[in-house]
Amino acid sequence: MMEEPAGGFGIYVHWPFCLAKCPYCDFNSHVRHQPVDQADYVEAMCRELDHNARYVPSRPVQSIFFGGGTPSLMEPRTVERILDGIDRHWPIQEATEISMEANPTSVEATRFAGYRAAGVNRLSVGIQALNDADLKILGRQHSVAEAIKAVETARTTFDRISFDLIYARPGQTLEGWERELNQAIDLAADHLSMYQLTIEEGTMFHRLYAAGKLEMLDADYAADMFDLTQRITAARGLPAYEVSNHAVPGAECQHNLVYWRYGDYIGVGPGAHGRLTLANGQRLGTATEKHPETWMQRVRETGSGIIETEDLSAEEQSDELLLMGLRLREGIDVPRYEVLANRAFDAQRLQGLMDAGLVEWIGNSRLRATPKGVGVLNSVIAELVS
């Protein structure tokens, strides 16, 4: 029997539909003005799960994550049927983390109890701002009052909840962010994800920015917001365990840890990606068709929406491990990296990064970026792989 690969095993389910496209979002999300046939999508996703079971049969599943898009547009019965499709191949255990992204509109919040009954045990709520004016700028469909009510409902329904916030928004001040962040922590329970607003190509914000109609915060001021975030969350018991994610110790998102620890994961649904270790030790990257209707047709014809499979070389794997793992406060397992890369880090370059206060050892075998190094992480990684 093959030894269980390092990093854990998870399953990602992508629901690609949204009520509206947020102007900052470059995720694979689509607006449909007519209701989608959820039964058809369930059938297709279950067929794609069957296909993936040929690659990785019977592994213990650590986590399942419903992302999007807006998964909280799914009916609870849809979620239940997809979980049944997963359980056929990878039995869901009591300890399996089953997360779902949700919007805090009043309509979607009414489904929370149904999702819990279907098997979801962790909810991630997309709040993004606790300021009505900024919610409007961000194109969100909810108000602050709805967001607070949704979080309160989630806290009484799920054992674990998280929510997202975006900072470095146009016109935002450090003082305003500090108030908002403290309010968020008061609401949060055990986990927060906080992302700096960036301009992504192909988005409405990108077009507005290119036309001079959207002014972003100065990069140094945005960096000050990041530093303020680290100080406040640490002081209040939710230190960063990853660059953008904060949790009470023990409440870290297990699914995201699968990614950052460079574990294996199946991706099903339009635009989903996967990383799979096969029985022969080969590491495979997969990607599915992004367009929902085209994905559906491909599944009907071939049993899967996968349009790309890549046999990842040892060098590609070691680079990905470094790229993902150095985002974590726990850092990377250096012996694992050296086995994949078939080499050690260049001693002179590593010492230079240490002398500059950008990386540090944890014990004898783990290396992590320091808080200073996190601020220039891309440069640190480039230096290590050179």
Side-chain angles (χ1 to χ4, degrees):
M1 180 180 293
M2 184 183 75
E3 182 180 346
E4 187 70 17
F9 172 59
I11 297 171
Y12 175 77
V13 180
H14 190 76
W15 188 259
F17 303 110
C18 288
L19 290 175
K21 184 78 172 178
C22 295
Y24 57 86
C25 177
D26 69 338
F27 292 167
N28 185 43
S29 59
H30 304 263
V31 176
R32 295 291 180 264
H33 298 295
Q34 298 297 323
V36 300
D37 190 323
Q38 296 197 20
D40 280 355
Y41 276 89
V42 167
E43 182 180 351
M45 285 183 178
C46 287
R47 287 194 66 188
E48 195 160 71
L49 287 164
D50 294 344
H51 178 89
N52 276 279
R54 304 173 192 173
Y55 294 129
V56 282
S58 304
R59 285 189 61 180
V61 59
Q62 174 180 327
S63 64
I64 300 164
F65 195 100
F66 289 87
T70 307
S72 51
L73 295 178
M74 287 191 283
E75 295 296 332
R77 174 62 177 151
T78 298
V79 175
E80 182 180 19
R81 290 182 60 199
I82 293 171
L83 289 174
D84 287 344
I86 292 171
D87 190 58
R88 281 202 303 271
H89 300 291
W90 307 277
I92 298 171
Q93 308 297 317
E94 186 176 345
T96 303
E97 178 189 87
I98 304 175
S99 298
M100 182 177 184
E101 293 179 340
N103 278 342
T105 65
S106 56
V107 171
E108 289 164 80
T110 62
R111 301 192 186 106
F112 287 0
Y115 298 140
R116 183 68 188 95
V120 175
N121 54 32
R122 180 180 179 276
L123 201 72
S124 178
V125 188
I127 290 178
Q128 315 309 359
L130 289 167
N131 174 306
D132 280 323
D134 285 0
L135 284 173
K136 187 173 182 179
I137 291 170
L138 293 172
R140 305 298 292 168
Q141 303 294 303
H142 63 272
S143 66
V144 171
E146 280 184 303
I148 292 172
K149 186 174 181 181
V151 168
E152 291 171 348
T153 300
R155 288 180 70 168
T156 62
T157 308
F158 298 91
D159 296 333
R160 299 174 58 205
I161 70 164
S162 175
F163 62 83
D164 299 351
L165 291 174
I166 293 173
Y167 66 94
R169 307 187 295 259
Q172 192 176 26
T173 65
L174 284 168
E175 295 76 17
W177 175 232
E178 182 172 0
R179 288 193 300 271
E180 196 169 334
L181 183 51
N182 276 303
Q183 183 184 3
I185 294 170
D186 289 341
L187 285 171
D190 62 8
H191 192 286
L192 282 171
S193 299
M194 286 171 288
Y195 304 101
Q196 181 177 326
L197 180 63
T198 55
I199 300 297
E200 304 295 343
E201 192 170 346
T203 65
M204 176 62 74
F205 271 8
H206 183 267
R207 292 189 287 274
L208 291 172
Y209 183 74
K213 296 179 179 179
L214 180 67
E215 186 173 348
M216 296 293 290
L217 291 186
D218 174 80
D220 288 339
Y221 199 66
D224 290 342
M225 285 192 171
F226 175 82
D227 292 340
L228 177 67
T229 302
Q230 310 314 303
R231 292 196 302 272
I232 291 175
T233 53
R236 296 205 53 190
L238 284 88
Y241 69 95
E242 187 270 345
V243 172
S244 301
N245 286 270
H246 304 253
V248 172
E252 298 85 357
C253 176
Q254 295 304 303
H255 188 80
N256 285 338
L257 285 175
V258 169
Y259 296 151
W260 296 319
R261 289 172 174 165
Y262 203 49
D264 282 5
Y265 55 95
I266 287 170
V268 298
H273 291 256
R275 289 288 185 274
L276 305 171
T277 302
L278 308 187
N280 62 3
Q282 176 188 3
R283 178 88 166 173
L284 194 69
T286 66
T288 61
E289 165 63 44
K290 289 184 177 182
H291 186 265
E293 288 76 19
T294 307
W295 171 84
M296 175 79 77
Q297 185 61 34
R298 187 173 183 88
V299 174
R300 285 172 175 158
E301 293 173 355
T302 69
S304 168
I306 294 174
I307 57 171
E308 181 182 336
T309 58
E310 180 184 4
D311 185 2
L312 298 169
S313 68
E315 182 180 7
E316 288 170 325
Q317 292 180 57
S318 62
D319 286 352
E320 288 185 347
L321 184 152
L322 196 64
L323 186 68
M324 301 299 283
L326 282 183
R327 295 181 62 87
L328 284 170
R329 186 65 182 147
E330 70 183 32
I332 64 164
D333 177 25
V334 174
R336 183 185 176 200
Y337 171 84
E338 291 175 344
V339 168
L340 283 175
N342 197 30
R343 69 176 180 89
F345 290 122
D346 181 278
Q348 187 174 351
R349 289 177 181 272
L350 179 56
Q351 189 61 50
L353 290 170
M354 293 176 67
D355 291 344
L358 299 176
V359 299
E360 62 187 5
W361 286 98
I362 313 170
N364 297 321
S365 64
R366 300 195 71 84
L367 186 74
R368 71 180 174 193
T370 64
K372 180 181 177 183
V374 166
V376 288
L377 193 55
N378 289 341
S379 298
V380 170
I381 292 169
E383 184 73 4
L384 286 171
V385 300
S386 297

